[in-house]
Amino acid sequence: MRHHLPYVEDKMYHVDAKLPIEKINKLYHTGWLNEVEEEQHYDGLVIGCAPYGNLQIWLRSNLRGGRRTEVCSFKGEEDVATMFEYQEDCYGIYKSNKEKVRNEVWENLETNGLPDTLFFDNSHIRYNYRIVVETESPDDKLHNMELVLCNGEYDNTSQKQTLDCDYKMQVCPKYIRLEWQNRYQSTHLDFKPKEIFDFFSSSFGGDCSQPGDFVIRLDESGELKNISLKIGKNVYLYGKEVEKEQ
């Protein structure tokens, strides 16, 4: 049982749920090889609170780039009575804490409003895909890849994706950084959530389990040429401009 208070909403939410202990234990005891070929394990738990009562829990490891994997997510119910009692009995603490948590995210929410509820619904939809990087330059060799997904998952532990890598049920990418062996500057791709959600949804149709290749294609100079999803014999081009920098 847990209460959480997103100050930007001024609402109290109540969550009454059990943690998936078996899943957490399994993940804690599952290791992987990091970029220097050392075995690495999760070493911490992260709890994230979002608007509309959304609560996410991840396991994380911050060593050598790190990894963060979603364990579970919950949606709480608004608790008006508890919120009223807290404001009445602890007004000084409430007001002080509200000022302490002000930041750029808060200011953006006050200016533009809260995200649509569909953002949180779509950020949990998983698709069976892998990331494939193709370049027209024979000198370009991918060294490493940092991957941030729309549900807060993160991996920077030697993501050297090749055509024979395994497909994985995962949510849409939010940010990808490519590091090259023979190129000083890395490639950064930042996707807008709504646009990438729509692209994956329309491309996969109603079958999220069919395997798909998320292909990032670069030209000879290392500039982004196009992005596509290849599902079976069909190829779907990502038509939106991606925020990028070299």
Side-chain angles (χ1 to χ4, degrees):
M1 182 175 65
R2 175 184 173 85
H3 284 90
H4 67 97
L5 168 60
Y7 281 97
V8 72
E9 284 186 276
D10 266 341
K11 293 182 179 180
M12 185 85 73
Y13 292 96
H14 171 81
V15 176
D16 189 357
K18 293 182 178 180
L19 292 176
I21 301 300
E22 291 186 8
K23 181 178 181 180
I24 292 174
N25 286 335
K26 183 178 180 180
L27 285 170
Y28 259 124
H29 290 89
T30 300
W32 63 89
L33 293 179
N34 59 28
E35 59 185 10
V36 294
E37 302 300 317
E38 295 177 345
E39 186 172 354
Q40 190 167 330
H41 293 266
Y42 295 104
D43 56 19
L45 195 70
V46 179
I47 300 175
C49 301
Y52 311 117
N54 289 283
L55 185 74
Q56 283 180 270
I57 298 177
W58 302 270
L59 286 179
R60 67 104 171 100
S61 175
N62 287 337
L63 297 175
R64 296 194 177 278
R67 176 180 288 185
R68 184 169 60 225
T69 301
E70 185 182 50
V71 174
C72 57
S73 62
F74 306 105
K75 187 173 180 63
E77 298 291 334
E78 185 179 355
D79 191 336
V80 178
T82 302
M83 181 64 183
F84 178 79
E85 292 176 3
Y86 176 64
Q87 289 177 318
E88 286 287 306
D89 298 338
C90 308
Y91 179 76
I93 298 175
Y94 163 75
K95 186 176 180 180
S96 174
N97 287 342
K98 189 171 182 178
E99 289 301 319
K100 288 179 181 178
V101 298
R102 274 192 172 275
N103 54 25
E104 292 181 2
V105 175
W106 178 299
E107 300 295 341
N108 180 64
L109 289 174
E110 282 196 335
T111 302
N112 301 309
L114 294 172
D116 192 286
T117 55
L118 288 176
F119 168 82
F120 300 101
D121 297 334
N122 291 333
S123 66
H124 293 289
I125 300 175
R126 295 182 180 269
Y127 300 89
N128 186 24
Y129 73 96
R130 62 186 179 182
I131 296 176
V132 178
V133 180
E134 297 179 355
T135 175
E136 296 177 352
S137 172
D139 297 326
D140 278 340
K141 302 295 182 184
L142 184 62
H143 170 66
N144 196 28
M145 179 164 64
E146 175 187 0
L147 175 63
V148 180
L149 302 178
C150 287
N151 66 340
E153 291 186 310
Y154 168 90
D155 199 346
N156 189 28
T157 58
S158 189
Q159 282 276 330
K160 298 176 182 177
Q161 301 281 20
T162 59
L163 281 174
D164 59 353
C165 70
D166 292 334
Y167 292 96
K168 182 180 179 181
M169 293 296 295
Q170 52 191 343
V171 304
C172 303
K174 172 65 177 70
Y175 173 81
I176 298 174
R177 178 171 60 87
L178 306 173
E179 294 181 358
W180 307 96
Q181 291 182 0
N182 304 317
R183 188 188 296 274
Y184 175 73
Q185 293 179 318
S186 55
T187 302
H188 303 251
L189 304 173
D190 197 354
F191 301 93
K192 295 181 179 179
K194 185 181 185 307
E195 294 173 355
I196 198 70
F197 290 156
D198 291 344
F199 177 59
F200 268 72
S201 177
S202 61
S203 300
F204 276 88
D207 186 2
C208 300
S209 63
Q210 56 185 323
D213 289 344
F214 186 74
V215 183
I216 301 170
R217 186 170 291 107
L218 308 174
D219 62 19
E220 290 185 0
S221 62
E223 293 290 331
L224 179 66
K225 191 171 183 179
N226 59 59
I227 294 174
S228 64
L229 261 173
K230 182 181 179 183
I231 304 173
K233 296 181 179 181
N234 299 318
V235 177
Y236 307 91
L237 285 176
Y238 184 67
K240 302 295 184 180
E241 183 175 352
V242 181
E243 294 183 9
K244 54 187 182 298
E245 56 183 284
Q246 293 287 330

